[in-house]
Amino acid sequence: MDALFPDEVILQILARLPVKSLFRFKSVCKAWHKLPSDGYFTALYNKVSVKEQMLVAEVSYSSESKSSLICVDNLRGVSELSLEFVRDRVRIRASCNGLFCCSSIPEKGVYYVCNPSTRECRRLPKSRERPVTRFYPDGEATLVGLACDLDRNKFYVVMAGYHRSFGQRPDGSFICFVFDSETNKWRKFVSEQEDCCSFTHMSKNQVVFVNGKLHWLMSGLCYVLSLDVERDVWRKICLPDEIRCGEGGGGNRVYLLESDGFLSVVQISDRWMKIWKMREYESESWFVVDSVSLRCIKGLVPGIFPICQTGEYVLLATHKQVLVYQRRRKLWKEMFSVKGSSSLPLWFSAHAFRSTIVPCS
């Protein structure tokens, strides 16, 4: 009996399934059993999946000692996500293209990279250099970044900050450690960076990987700090003139996001949400792609934080809610709400997420 669809059509359909369903269907036939490890299919699957963004957040309840991870998908709604396969109590420090970089809560200096969709986990070796947990100003690295290259199935983990000797002030040297998944080793380089410690929790959390570089937004809104993970080169990228260095007034807040493979900033004022996109990376040319009225959610505006976006929608977190804004239909919708009292705001632990089958082991 002939197949109802050509093989390529079947692959296109399977490439649009959740990873969990894809693995469940491995038992259908030998050809489907091999798909998650087939180079052509995994490239196709990841190419399709990167077009969709989800939001993952840790929900902690003040009345209970436990917490849970929720995943908010614009198309499929809300589901729970588990990191129990890591076999350690961890918190997510960075997310990129389906992988999480997590730090161990009980054991400082221990980091993992895992894929919650495939339930693969890799514990990173400790650096032979000074412990990366002795950065200034807190007990952990000032910056943690994860760069996942889908084309080459490899990743980098970056930790950077001002190091100081015990009981001493930081000496101004900005130390960076980069882990390469291919070599399974850390490398270290030192540079002089001014004001790199001026990051808020959100600007450290929302690290963006585009053009082979990691990007963090400075809390003073003067520029974006980028790191070329291949060449170990730092660069400062100017923000649009309208928002640079806090210009514009009106209670402006700015967040760094990705938009379909491009660097983007979302500017929120009392009445408007303006979405900027970098047109030309080398010339640092920005343009406005959307201006959204916030009138219908006026009461939530002071506490909304954009977490991720596509050309179709923006996912935002508040203290207890996750909202989605449908850009073409110009509609707002509540996707998730915390029931009961939450000890931490949702935006405090929210990350952009994609479901991929990138190996990390």
Side-chain angles (χ1 to χ4, degrees):
M1 180 178 176
D2 294 334
L4 294 177
F5 300 103
D7 290 344
E8 183 60 31
V9 174
I10 294 176
L11 291 182
Q12 290 288 343
I13 295 172
L14 293 175
R16 285 159 174 79
L17 293 176
V19 175
K20 190 174 182 179
S21 299
L22 185 68
F23 275 74
R24 185 185 303 144
F25 295 156
K26 287 174 64 176
S27 59
V28 171
C29 61
K30 290 182 179 180
W32 286 21
H33 187 272
K34 298 177 182 178
L35 285 180
S37 58
D38 178 77
Y40 172 78
F41 180 77
T42 55
L44 173 63
Y45 188 95
N46 293 334
K47 182 179 179 180
V48 172
S49 67
V50 295
K51 297 178 181 178
E52 298 297 325
Q53 285 270 22
M54 294 174 278
L55 181 151
V56 168
E58 184 177 10
V59 182
S60 302
Y61 297 96
S62 55
S63 58
E64 304 175 23
S65 58
K66 65 178 183 178
S67 61
S68 61
L69 282 177
I70 58 109
C71 179
V72 181
D73 188 326
N74 177 56
L75 295 176
R76 301 182 180 93
V78 181
S79 59
E80 283 201 17
L81 200 65
S82 174
L83 295 181
E84 290 182 358
F85 64 94
V86 179
R87 298 184 180 180
D88 193 358
R89 287 196 305 118
V90 297
R91 71 184 183 102
I92 301 170
R93 298 299 306 274
S95 171
C96 182
N97 288 336
L99 300 184
F100 287 150
C101 176
C102 304
S103 61
S104 171
I105 294 175
E107 190 175 353
K108 286 190 175 182
V110 173
Y111 288 83
Y112 303 87
V113 171
C114 64
N115 185 328
S117 299
T118 62
R119 299 179 66 83
E120 283 188 332
C121 179
R122 178 171 177 174
R123 177 169 170 157
L124 304 187
K126 289 190 176 182
S127 169
R128 294 183 179 181
E129 300 284 345
R130 286 176 177 268
V132 294
T133 53
R134 293 191 61 192
F135 284 106
Y136 175 85
D138 54 17
E140 293 181 325
T142 299
L143 299 179
V144 176
L146 175 63
C148 175
D149 187 330
L150 292 175
D151 293 329
R152 295 190 292 167
N153 278 342
K154 68 176 296 185
F155 65 84
Y156 299 89
V157 174
V158 172
M159 299 183 189
Y162 289 109
H163 191 275
R164 61 173 178 176
S165 301
F166 182 76
Q168 302 295 319
R169 291 181 177 273
D171 59 12
S173 296
F174 201 60
I175 301 177
C176 184
F177 292 93
V178 180
F179 175 81
D180 186 323
S181 64
E182 285 188 346
T183 63
N184 198 43
K185 293 180 180 179
W186 292 90
R187 63 179 185 264
K188 171 188 174 183
F189 67 99
V190 182
S191 59
E192 295 296 326
Q193 294 286 341
E194 297 178 359
D195 301 324
C196 280
C197 59
S198 55
F199 292 88
T200 65
H201 174 83
M202 287 303 295
S203 65
K204 288 195 292 183
N205 230 24
Q206 292 188 299
V207 51
V208 175
F209 178 61
V210 297
N211 291 326
K213 303 171 182 66
L214 288 168
H215 303 79
W216 293 268
L217 179 67
M218 298 297 295
S219 62
L221 302 185
C222 293
Y223 56 83
V224 173
L225 185 67
S226 97
L227 173 65
D228 187 322
V229 293
E230 291 279 356
R231 299 187 299 148
D232 296 343
V233 175
W234 292 100
R235 171 184 170 185
K236 294 178 180 179
I237 299 174
C238 290
L239 291 169
D241 291 339
E242 184 178 323
I243 60 177
R244 188 165 53 90
C245 296
E247 296 175 4
N252 276 337
R253 293 177 286 138
V254 180
Y255 303 92
L256 188 68
L257 275 71
E258 181 217 356
S259 178
D260 299 327
F262 291 87
L263 203 60
S264 173
V265 289
V266 178
Q267 177 187 13
I268 294 181
S269 65
D270 296 336
R271 299 179 180 178
W272 293 91
M273 179 171 70
K274 190 176 291 186
I275 301 174
W276 299 76
K277 195 173 182 179
M278 181 173 277
R279 190 197 310 267
E280 295 291 340
Y281 190 85
E282 294 305 321
S283 61
E284 302 179 7
S285 174
W286 298 86
F287 67 105
V288 177
V289 294
D290 212 348
S291 292
V292 182
S293 172
L294 300 178
R295 183 178 302 175
C296 62
I297 59 163
K298 185 177 180 180
L300 298 175
V301 171
I304 62 171
F305 295 79
I307 303 300
C308 57
Q309 64 176 339
T310 69
E312 302 289 331
Y313 55 87
V314 184
L315 285 169
L316 309 96
T318 69
H319 189 97
K320 291 188 175 184
Q321 298 163 294
V322 175
L323 308 175
V324 62
Y325 174 72
Q326 305 288 350
R327 294 172 64 173
R328 291 186 179 180
R329 299 168 62 193
K330 300 185 184 300
L331 292 175
W332 290 89
K333 180 182 177 182
E334 181 184 284
M335 297 290 293
F336 174 78
S337 179
V338 176
K339 306 303 180 184
S341 58
S342 176
S343 58
L344 291 174
L346 282 179
W347 53 259
F348 192 84
S349 62
H351 297 266
F353 178 66
R354 292 181 169 109
S355 181
T356 66
I357 46 179
V358 179
C360 60
S361 60

